Amino acid sequence: MVAKADDFLDTTTGAIVPPIQPSTTFARDDRYEPINPANVYTRDCNPTFLPAENIIAELEGGDACALFASGMAAVAAVFYTLTTGSHAVIPGAMYWGVLSWTRAYCDRVGIVLSEYDPASIDSLEAALEGHAKTDLIWVETPSNPLMGVTDLSEVARIAERVGALMVVDNTTATPVFTQPIKHGAHIVMHSATKSLNGHSDVLAGALVTSDENLPAWQLIKQERHGAGALPGSFEAWLLQRGLRTLYLRVERAAATTQWLAEKLQAHDAVSGVMYPGLPTDPGHETAKKQMHGGFGSLLSFEVIGGRENALAVAGALQLIVSGTSLGGVETLIEHRHSVEPPETCLPENLLRLAVGIEDKKDLWDDLEQALAKLT
Ligand SMILES: *Cc1c(COP(=O)(O)O)cnc(C)c1O
């Protein structure tokens, strides 16, 4: 845990908050040398990126961090390191945007893609079978929205054996609870749009490497500079500000989620709750090994009956907002089946709850009055 968000202090003004540097270009001196060799052009680096990058790298226990324009831009930067004929393995149930983009991209460029059940190491082993070489193993734990828990140390052991790059999407767990690099991951990915920024007002992504000398990291940095999927300096500045309250927000939201999960599980109108913090959850034991201090702020639950009942509950909520995304200060509910294409594996009676930092009693009162309509 870091005690201080960043060690910034402006020795000329005394300011304790880092400034925004909007300049896209940086001047050279009379010998044509850059005035500061770190700064030439913003597509390479902008000083406003550094506080957020340094904080995220430190939180994840990594060597370096690179910000991206979005979480998906960070995902894409990882897949751009692969070439035609590479073999990548991804969870068959995870954040829909990553699943649909990787399927389409790999198909188009001839990357061989296999899928595994994030809750089963055996299914990961099966996905590797028959491939002479696997280049990339992608992990998302707990997976969004079915909350499957993947054993990070087991995946690291397998990745080492087959010589694959292990990349973990740590958006739902956050570095507050899980640091995948400590469990053997090579690269950690974040949608910084979610808990890292935490205020639903910045779109950004981040990659953290365990080692700056990894060949894949060199390619990722080259790709970011070349293809230019960078955030703006205002977004990077807002992100470092959001990070300053990361622990307060995330610990509070996770404690509330645990409490709501238990309440929901005991409710007659709820037929199932998916949350690794529940002792009855199939992922609980694995989650306990790799999540410390909480189990995150995302849960899914199934209501009795079908689609109509799920939509009725979402529609009856007064405080909780129906909408996509997670990790913000406000609680959001989403009927994922309505927003994913018909081939989705998600049940129609499932609602995903992304818990914020409101008073937990207010949240439960709202859920209870909405669920009461079903019984
Ligand atoms: C939101 C999200 C992404 C994509 O990030 P964007 O910032 O929306 O591009 C990737 N993975 C997970 C788990 C997410 O929740």
Side-chain angles (χ1 to χ4, degrees):
M1 199 201 272
V2 285
K4 206 171 171 188
D6 196 28
D7 59 359
F8 180 83
L9 181 69
D10 185 335
T11 51
T12 55
T13 64
I16 62 165
V17 173
I20 303 176
Q21 180 46 265
S23 191
T24 53
T25 187
F26 299 88
R28 292 172 179 265
D29 64 16
D30 51 8
R31 286 165 299 130
Y32 213 69
E33 296 298 329
I35 289 173
N36 178 338
N39 303 325
V40 174
Y41 185 61
T42 281
R43 182 152 39 73
D44 245 336
C45 182
N46 178 297
T48 319
F49 300 165
L50 301 180
E53 289 183 339
N54 292 340
I55 294 166
I56 297 168
E58 190 169 343
L59 288 170
E60 288 289 358
D63 216 7
C65 169
L67 294 186
F68 286 84
S70 67
M72 288 311 302
V75 173
V78 172
F79 278 84
Y80 293 160
T81 66
L82 302 176
T83 50
T84 302
S86 294
H87 179 224
V89 187
I90 62 167
M94 64 163 156
Y95 175 77
W96 178 250
V98 178
L99 190 58
S100 59
W101 183 84
T102 50
R103 280 176 179 164
Y105 175 74
C106 292
D107 182 51
R108 192 165 73 245
V109 304
I111 293 165
V112 182
L113 201 60
S114 309
E115 297 181 11
Y116 69 98
D117 170 1
S120 159
I121 289 294
D122 287 346
S123 101
L124 173 59
E125 290 280 16
L128 299 168
E129 262 166 41
H131 297 274
K133 189 175 172 316
T134 295
D135 300 280
L136 172 70
I137 300 178
W138 189 272
V139 181
E140 181 186 298
T141 182
S143 71
N144 177 357
L146 293 177
M147 308 307 290
V149 178
T150 308
D151 189 321
L152 292 171
S153 304
E154 287 288 312
V155 178
R157 197 177 46 75
I158 293 168
E160 165 112 45
R161 191 186 76 217
V162 302
L165 188 76
M166 175 179 170
V167 184
V168 179
D169 182 338
N170 202 30
T171 303
T172 55
T174 81
V176 174
F177 302 129
T178 304
Q179 294 166 307
I181 288 171
K182 293 220 169 101
H183 298 276
H186 299 108
I187 290 178
V188 171
M189 176 257 149
H190 275 283
S191 168
T193 313
K194 312 295 168 51
S195 300
L196 294 188
N197 177 63
H199 295 76
S200 308
D201 54 9
V202 167
L203 191 71
L207 294 175
V208 180
T209 184
S210 58
D211 177 358
E212 276 204 271
N213 297 317
L214 275 183
W217 185 252
Q218 300 300 322
L219 274 172
I220 284 166
K221 290 299 292 281
Q222 218 174 301
E223 190 68 33
R224 186 180 76 152
H225 166 67
L230 289 152
S233 46
F234 288 94
E235 280 75 11
W237 186 86
L238 274 173
L239 176 56
Q240 67 76 34
R241 191 171 83 150
L243 282 163
R244 291 174 172 230
T245 54
L246 177 73
Y247 274 77
L248 280 175
R249 290 183 285 102
V250 166
E251 284 175 350
R252 165 72 175 267
T256 302
T257 311
Q258 179 76 38
W259 188 77
L260 291 174
E262 288 163 15
K263 291 270 193 201
L264 284 166
Q265 198 173 37
H267 198 286
D268 288 343
V270 174
S271 55
V273 179
M274 297 157 192
Y275 185 62
L278 292 171
T280 50
D281 191 90
H284 184 64
E285 289 309 315
T286 306
K288 266 203 311 198
K289 285 198 303 184
Q290 61 196 32
M291 300 187 85
H292 305 289
F295 297 93
S297 60
L298 197 66
L299 69 76
S300 291
F301 63 99
E302 290 175 282
V303 296
I304 51 170
R307 172 188 189 85
E308 292 313 314
N309 277 359
L311 290 171
V313 169
L317 292 165
Q318 305 292 319
L319 169 66
I320 297 169
V321 177
S322 281
T324 196
S325 203
L326 57 126
V329 293
E330 61 288 298
T331 299
L332 300 172
I333 198 155
E334 191 175 35
H335 185 242
R336 291 289 315 167
H337 195 276
S338 292
V339 294
E340 293 190 13
E343 70 267 22
T344 178
C345 62
L346 297 182
E348 292 198 52
N349 62 341
L350 180 130
L351 289 165
R352 187 187 79 179
L353 194 66
V355 178
I357 61 170
E358 303 94 332
D359 182 86
K360 68 180 180 185
K361 179 91 178 17
D362 288 350
L363 292 172
W364 177 244
D365 287 350
D366 197 23
L367 284 164
E368 205 173 29
Q369 63 80 23
L371 288 166
K373 303 200 160 51
L374 304 186
T375 50

